[in-house]
Amino acid sequence: MSTLVLTLPLGSPEPAAEYGYTLTADGHTATRHASAPAALLPDPGRAGETVAVVPAHALSWQRVTLPQGALSQAPRLRAILEGLLEERLLDDPALLHFALQPGASNGTPAWVAVCDRAWLRGALQALEAAGRPVDRVVPEAAPGPTASGQVECTVLGTPEDALAVLCGHGPHQAVAVLPLASAPALLPPAGGDADPAPVRAEPAVAALAERVLGRPVQIQTASQRMLDAARGDWDLAQFDLASSGRTRALRKLGSAANAFLRAPQWRAARWALGLAVAVQVVGLNAWAWQERQALAAKQAGVRGALTQTFAHVKVVVDAPVQMERELAQLRQAAGSMAPRDLEPLMAAAAGALPASRMPAQIEYASGELRLRGMALAPEELTALNQALAAQGFSARMQDEALLVRAEGQP
């Protein structure tokens, strides 16, 4: 499953506006990256995902503590956020879009992302009109702990307008966007025993960043930064911009499946799963082969017993049936009776039934004896079966008649 990650341009959306985009198959490596108008953006495919990245300088971050019960009042949650943030915002809250931190809980401080509502809605509608509806909206940089556990700095923009984006800044691990010239005061000093704070920069401003910050920087392209942002937990499409819960769940499931199938960090797990499946398949095949061999040996034994006992039988089709038929012929030739014949059935029933019980009607068919007019109580039927079992017979009531048959008979 492919993922199209694109950066939303600032300003009012126009048909000719360029979107920087990255196409990826595993969420970590770019297969293609460039910029194009919305109508010319590549198609991630029917099962693909489109992720929009909101630039860091288009967002502000506010920290709030939700009152008890706020999260259970989903229709009123935005109004609650407006009330909490009203005095902190310069603009009218009705003109702003809010997005609550993933995993937020009542009574615990949480981050709220704030941006221009009309701009974000217009950008998403322009993409939808161009046939590229957005599945998730993520921030370019988000507050919270960083991978290094330190303040991380990313320098981006142009030499004339270079910006420093600090992540994990301060006691609350906030995001700060400020001019590059102001960044050195907020970064820990270079040198010393501690590992230096990671600093990354786009190629266009890498030399400037090294000169201003006085330390080496790692080159990071805009494409790599977009992929990092797309792997985050945030989704700014909340409240009036949110998709249905089912849609979000399906998208999240698809993203997780795609990450497991393609992401490098899951390679060992994929190999382990494949090896486990292969071992199971080999084991099942070996067990099935052993069972087939055992069954074939039993069938061969039955056929051998038939042909050895009755040497005139040359073709074996169904050994048990043929064996029963040959035995019946031997009994008939010797004048003996089988347990299913009428006489053995009547003798067994006469010996087991109470002397006071006489049937009103006797029927015999297909090796079964039916005695009508024999309404037995449950305890009498139990005693009858105990007596018949010693002779190899059984009895039960069926259709107001006592049915007597040889045991083992279907």
Side-chain angles (χ1 to χ4, degrees), residues 18-110:
E18 294 278 325
Y19 294 79
Y21 72 85
T22 297
L23 198 64
T24 178
D26 59 8
H28 292 76
T29 306
T31 57
R32 194 196 329 172
H33 61 89
S35 60
L40 299 180
L41 290 171
D43 186 359
R46 184 174 181 181
E49 182 184 31
T50 300
V51 180
V53 179
V54 177
H57 46 293
L59 287 169
S60 67
W61 299 92
Q62 303 292 334
R63 193 166 172 84
V64 301
T65 299
L66 296 175
Q68 293 298 328
L71 292 174
S72 62
Q73 305 177 48
R76 297 188 60 248
L77 184 55
R78 177 182 166 85
I80 294 173
L81 292 178
E82 288 184 4
L84 294 172
L85 297 173
E86 185 174 10
E87 296 182 359
R88 308 188 203 176
L89 302 173
L90 299 177
D91 296 324
D92 184 352
L95 302 177
L96 300 174
H97 174 71
F98 301 138
L100 188 61
Q101 175 182 345
S105 57
N106 297 323
T108 303

Side-chain angles (χ1 to χ4, degrees), residues 339-342 345 364-369 403-406 409:
R340 296 178 57 188
D341 290 341
L342 175 61
L345 289 172
Y364 173 77
S366 302
E368 295 180 345
L369 178 66
L403 179 64
V404 182
R405 64 168 74 182
Q409 182 179 345

Side-chain angles (χ1 to χ4, degrees), residues 10 23 45 63 71 88 104 163 173 216 255 274 300 302 317 344 352 397 408:
L10 298 176
L23 198 64
R63 193 166 172 84
L71 292 174
R88 308 188 203 176
L163 294 176
Q173 300 173 322
S255 298
V302 173
V317 179
M397 297 301 298

Side-chain angles (χ1 to χ4, degrees), residues 8-298:
L8 297 179
L10 298 176
S12 58
E14 299 177 358
E18 294 278 325
Y19 294 79
Y21 72 85
T22 297
L23 198 64
T24 178
D26 59 8
H28 292 76
T29 306
T31 57
R32 194 196 329 172
H33 61 89
S35 60
L40 299 180
L41 290 171
D43 186 359
R46 184 174 181 181
E49 182 184 31
T50 300
V51 180
V53 179
V54 177
H57 46 293
L59 287 169
S60 67
W61 299 92
Q62 303 292 334
R63 193 166 172 84
V64 301
T65 299
L66 296 175
Q68 293 298 328
L71 292 174
S72 62
Q73 305 177 48
R76 297 188 60 248
L77 184 55
R78 177 182 166 85
I80 294 173
L81 292 178
E82 288 184 4
L84 294 172
L85 297 173
E86 185 174 10
E87 296 182 359
R88 308 188 203 176
L89 302 173
L90 299 177
D91 296 324
D92 184 352
L95 302 177
L96 300 174
H97 174 71
F98 301 138
L100 188 61
Q101 175 182 345
S105 57
N106 297 323
T108 303
W111 286 102
V112 177
V114 183
C115 68
D116 185 274
R117 188 177 189 180
W119 166 77
L120 181 57
R121 179 186 293 276
L124 298 181
Q125 289 176 346
L127 288 168
E128 187 167 359
R132 295 294 178 268
V134 172
D135 299 305
R136 285 193 299 133
V137 182
V138 299
E140 184 178 20
T146 60
S148 65
Q150 304 181 63
V151 178
E152 296 186 0
C153 177
T154 302
V155 182
L156 47 88
T158 63
E160 296 77 19
D161 185 23
L163 294 176
V165 180
L166 302 181
C167 294
H169 170 63
H172 301 306
Q173 300 173 322
V175 172
V177 181
L178 62 160
L180 177 59
S182 304
L186 299 179
L187 288 175
D193 297 332
D195 293 335
V199 177
R200 305 178 185 88
E202 292 183 338
V205 291
L208 177 62
E210 287 187 344
R211 186 169 65 252
V212 173
L213 300 177
R215 64 188 72 194
V217 302
Q218 305 170 13
I219 300 297
Q220 184 186 52
T221 64
S223 175
Q224 292 170 332
R225 195 169 65 254
M226 285 194 291
L227 291 179
D228 290 343
R231 292 195 298 271
D233 296 332
W234 278 83
D235 187 358
L236 303 181
Q238 299 181 22
F239 303 112
D240 56 326
L241 298 182
S243 304
S244 67
R246 180 175 180 271
T247 302
R248 289 197 302 272
L250 290 175
R251 287 171 181 166
K252 186 175 292 186
L253 180 61
S255 298
N258 182 58
F260 180 78
L261 292 174
R262 297 180 178 273
Q265 69 266 31
W266 291 103
R267 185 176 292 114
R270 291 195 295 268
W271 276 102
L273 179 61
L275 182 60
V277 171
V279 169
Q280 291 293 327
V281 170
V282 171
L284 287 174
N285 284 331
W287 176 78
W289 179 82
Q290 291 177 344
E291 290 296 314
R292 286 195 299 268
Q293 293 296 107
L295 179 61
K298 291 180 180 179

